[in-house]
Amino acid sequence: VQVLLKLWRNGFSLDDGELRSYSDPTNAQFLESVKRGEIPLELQRLVHGGQVNLDMEDHQEQEYVKPRLRFKAFSGEGQKLGSLTPEIVSTPSSPEEEEKSILNAPVLIDDSIPATKIQIRLADGSRLIQRFNQTHRIKHIRDFIIQSRPAFATTDFVLVTTFPNKELTDESLTLQEADILNTVILQQLK
């Protein structure tokens, strides 16, 4: 860690920090450690046993002037949140809408094996929400759309995941293999 100690007429500062008075006992102890060539305890805690390069600047003829804050770009580390395909976080506009989509095109569910809900946003702006077993295939989603909205039977369309957008081309994959459990699927017309 690189630290810059600036000595002023009325105190000292570390890097571009606040002025520290010479008369404060804690600050006096800090400066005594520096004079003896030791790393002050405060800096030892800061670096957790690592190396400290302490540079000094003598400004003892000047009064301390608080430096203007400089823009410092984000220097942290990013963390990716969530999964590749988001889970359904919105609710249907009404329970009736969900029931209607389930009643329009029944999908046979085996309650003895794991199930998932898929929300399908159709190209006409409407949406369907349906329970499927995790072993159902992407082809079953296509069939469900056509059964629910017969107008799409003669229309050429593809199924796409939301973020990142990925076309589901292999319709023989199970929903689990395609990693689309509890997600939103988009219908896009070709």
Side-chain angles (χ1 to χ4, degrees):
V1 175
Q2 188 77 28
V3 178
L4 179 60
L5 173 65
K6 294 181 182 178
L7 301 173
W8 304 94
R9 180 179 299 153
N10 50 342
F12 71 93
S13 63
L14 293 176
D15 294 323
D16 287 328
E18 294 292 318
L19 180 71
R20 298 178 178 199
S21 172
Y22 291 129
S23 59
D24 184 329
T26 308
N27 295 337
Q29 187 179 3
F30 183 95
L31 288 175
E32 278 302 313
S33 296
V34 172
K35 287 178 188 175
R36 289 192 306 265
E38 300 170 354
I39 298 174
L41 193 59
E42 177 184 337
L43 295 181
Q44 288 177 7
R45 285 191 206 118
L46 176 73
V47 297
H48 307 293
Q51 282 191 326
V52 176
N53 290 331
L54 184 64
D55 290 330
M56 293 177 62
E57 287 183 5
D58 187 5
H59 298 276
Q60 290 182 343
E61 298 84 39
Q62 303 168 4
E63 290 289 319
Y64 171 79
V65 178
K66 186 173 184 174
R68 283 204 270 145
L69 294 176
R70 286 183 278 154
F71 172 76
K72 184 177 180 184
F74 175 73
S75 60
E77 164 181 321
Q79 297 294 324
K80 185 175 181 179
L81 301 176
S83 64
L84 290 177
T85 53
E87 292 189 20
I88 297 173
V89 291
S90 62
T91 57
S93 30
S94 69
E96 295 81 30
E97 182 182 327
E98 185 173 349
E99 281 302 311
K100 187 175 80 174
S101 70
I102 291 172
L103 295 175
N104 280 352
V107 173
L108 297 175
I109 304 292
D110 182 350
D111 289 325
S112 67
I113 58 176
T116 184
K117 268 191 184 178
I118 303 288
Q119 182 183 125
I120 306 156
R121 293 191 185 155
L122 300 176
D124 65 4
S126 64
R127 66 182 173 161
L128 302 169
I129 298 173
Q130 179 62 45
R131 277 186 67 217
F132 293 92
N133 286 118
Q134 294 181 7
T135 55
H136 275 108
R137 304 202 176 274
I138 295 173
K139 180 179 181 0
H140 294 120
I141 295 176
R142 176 181 289 278
D143 295 342
F144 169 73
I145 293 171
I146 293 169
Q147 287 176 347
S148 298
R149 302 288 195 278
F152 289 122
T154 58
T155 308
D156 197 15
F157 65 88
V158 294
L159 300 175
V160 179
T161 62
T162 49
F163 183 78
N165 285 20
K166 182 180 89 175
E167 188 175 328
L168 300 170
T169 52
D170 187 354
E171 294 191 357
S172 66
L173 290 176
T174 66
L175 303 184
Q176 188 167 20
E177 291 168 342
D179 195 24
I180 57 169
L181 303 179
N182 296 315
T183 59
V184 177
I185 301 296
L186 307 175
Q187 177 198 36
Q188 292 183 346
L189 300 180
K190 280 190 170 182

